[in-house]
Structures are given as structure tokens and as C-alpha cells.
Amino acid sequence: AAALARQARRLAAAPEAPWLHTEVARRMAERLGAIRLQPEAWLEWGATAGGSAAVLRSQYPRARRLVVEPTAELVARHAAALWPPQRWRAGADQAWLPADVPAGAAQLLWSNMGLHGQADLEAQLATWHRAIAVDGFLMFSTLGPDTLRELRELHAEAGWGEAMAPLVDMHDLGDMLVHAGFADPVMDQETITLTWSTPEALLDELRGLGGNAASSRFQGLRTPRWLARWKAALAARAGADGRIAMRFELVYGHAFRPPARARVAAQTQIPLEDLRQQLGRGRRADEGV
């Protein structure tokens, strides 16, 4: 958890989202065409690192943008970006820390390349379920277990410890979504291969994407001699074109938040917020909205 928190701070401090994140955001936005619901507001979880604002504004130009950031500094940055006339506008952005997001805040919760940075996936999905309005939906992308297979194989062969923390298979993620209360989860994945001209260029990009959060990683500081051996091992794996290739498994998922179902029992409890949202839905239906 501490390593993941450091990675989140590193991503938050970057001047812009990583190239890979913006590319995945574009690919994930192409999947929105299959969903008919037009949200009044979308909640962008990890907005700065996710790099998705442009594609979402293009898809939902009339919807209000709400954002969640991992640090108070980023939340303050969003607030400072809104000069007074924009604050009066109903569609102005609003930013929260994860713990401050109100229940049912938006009809769409969007998380791009952030779920693999969470220490407790089931807790994160439960948090997302609470933040989505009834009948709203979740769209997310994350890294799958085939990511950086070549780098993990290199570390295993050399006895250098784990190169990265384990990642969750998309089928297990689908089961977690159901357990968290979501309905009709749909999961799919694709694998893309990136190449670099030098080990140094590869290392720079990987640092920009986060770091090694594996609990079994090497616990001390690596030496310059080890780094030279690491770079040489990578260079030796270059293809005929002289470039070093690494694969990334991209996992996409979406699911809906259905109305709460009361269990038949002598005494039944329904969260007050769920009841309010269901009553609101009923009134809108009666009015023909």
C-alpha cells in the first residue's frame, strides 16, 4: 500500500498524464457508443493521471464534470482553475478527495488506468458502487496480468526478484463487480506492444507509469553496476530492428448500478440514500422525463 501511494503521488506530480493513459482513454471512449444512457454528470476518478477530460467532453458536451483526485494539492489545483464566473456556471467542475465523494454523485463513474494502483480492489469497487447513482454505470480500464511479461521473465531468469506487483485477471474482476453489487458486467481485453530504441528510454517511460509495488521486490537500493547489467540484459533482448519490445495487457470493464433489492425477511433494511434515489426515479417516470 505504501509503494502504491508513492506511485500515485508521482503520477499526480507529473505535468501531464502518461501517453499510454491518454491512448487507453481514447480506446475506452470508443466503447461508450454502445451505452444509451446520457449522463447529466460524469465522475472522473483520478482525473489528472487518467488524461480523459478531452474525450469525455467530446462524448458528453452538456454533462457536468466531477473529479476525484488522490491528493489535496490536486483538488486545490482544480479549485484554483475555476475563476469566479465559471464558479457561478451550473456545469463547473467540482473536485473531491476519495473519502469526500457523496453517494450517487454521478450517472457515470469513469476510471482510466487507475484500478491497478489500488491496494484493495474489492474496497475500491464498493466505493465506486456507492458513488454512482442508481441506474448509472461504471467504465474503467486497468492493466491485466500479461503486462510486461518480458520484463518479468528477465527478472525471474536473473534472480532479481519480482519486477512488478501481480495483476488481476479480467474474469476475477468481473466476479468482484458482481460481489460489489454491480449488474451486467462486461469485460474485454486487448494486448498492445510498445517498443523503445534504448533501455534508458524504456526505463524513463516505466518510471512515468508508476513503479514496482511488489511486496517481494528487492528491498535495498540497486547499485550502478546492477543497473548497467539490467540495461545490458534488456538491450540483448532487442529485435532485429534494434528496438526493445514490451507488451501491455489492457483490460476494459463496464457495469451498471441497479436499484437495491430488498431481501425478504422479517425485518428489511434499505440504505436511506438508495431509497431517496429510487423515489426520485419514480417521480421522474411519472412526469414523463
Side-chain angles (χ1 to χ4, degrees):
L4 288 171
R6 284 195 298 272
Q7 291 183 26
R9 290 193 295 271
R10 181 187 299 172
L11 284 167
E16 59 185 6
W19 172 87
L20 181 60
H21 289 200
T22 57
E23 172 61 18
V24 175
R26 183 190 66 78
R27 296 178 183 221
M28 184 160 64
E30 292 175 350
R31 291 161 165 78
L32 288 171
I35 299 176
R36 295 180 180 179
L37 176 66
Q38 294 293 306
E40 298 174 5
W42 85 75
L43 183 61
E44 199 176 337
W45 205 279
T48 298
S52 304
V55 294
L56 285 170
R57 283 199 172 106
S58 176
Q59 184 74 27
Y60 303 118
R62 297 182 180 180
R64 186 182 182 195
R65 181 185 185 227
L66 310 173
V67 302
V68 177
E69 296 287 15
T71 67
E73 291 77 11
L74 282 178
V75 171
R77 188 189 304 176
H78 282 282
L82 298 175
W83 60 298
Q86 286 181 307
R87 292 178 188 273
W88 302 333
R89 181 167 54 87
D93 295 358
Q94 186 170 352
W96 295 294
L97 289 169
D100 298 331
V101 180
Q107 293 76 38
L108 163 60
L109 191 151
W110 173 281
S111 170
N112 183 43
M113 297 290 280
L115 189 58
H116 55 261
Q118 299 298 321
D120 189 336
L121 299 188
E122 292 186 340
Q124 184 62 60
L125 293 179
T127 298
W128 285 352
H129 184 271
R130 177 182 176 275
I132 300 173
V134 172
D135 288 336
F137 66 104
L138 166 69
M139 292 283 296
F140 70 91
S141 61
T142 187
L143 292 175
D146 206 35
T147 297
L148 296 176
R149 177 196 290 182
E150 298 83 358
L151 185 62
R152 290 187 283 112
E153 290 174 348
L154 185 152
H155 275 239
E157 293 167 3
W160 288 337
E162 291 289 339
M164 59 184 295
L167 297 167
V168 179
D169 179 82
M170 71 173 183
H171 301 99
D172 293 331
L173 283 173
D175 293 340
M176 290 181 186
L177 286 168
V178 174
H179 186 263
F182 288 98
D184 302 326
V186 176
M187 308 293 302
D188 69 299
Q189 60 86 228
E190 64 176 331
T191 300
I192 64 172
T193 300
L194 304 184
T195 65
W196 296 265
S197 59
T198 65
E200 289 81 6
L202 184 154
L203 181 58
D204 285 344
E205 181 133 18
L206 292 186
R207 282 174 171 164
L209 290 172
N212 187 358
S215 58
S216 58
R217 69 190 182 278
F218 184 74
Q219 296 300 309
L221 296 175
R222 297 290 195 181
T223 65
R225 181 178 298 178
W226 177 89
L227 182 59
R229 291 174 57 200
W230 185 82
K231 290 179 180 179
L234 280 173
R237 288 179 171 246
D241 59 356
R243 298 184 68 83
I244 305 164
M246 294 279 164
R247 77 191 70 188
F248 290 79
E249 181 184 354
L250 308 177
V251 174
Y252 304 93
H254 75 256
F256 292 86
R257 182 187 173 179
R261 294 183 179 180
R263 296 182 179 179
V264 178
Q267 197 172 41
T268 300
Q269 294 183 352
I270 299 176
L272 179 59
E273 186 60 36
D274 286 359
L275 186 59
R276 286 172 174 165
Q277 291 189 42
Q278 290 184 48
L279 290 173
R281 290 170 58 249
R283 284 196 295 270
R284 289 193 294 272
D286 291 341
E287 295 167 358
V289 177

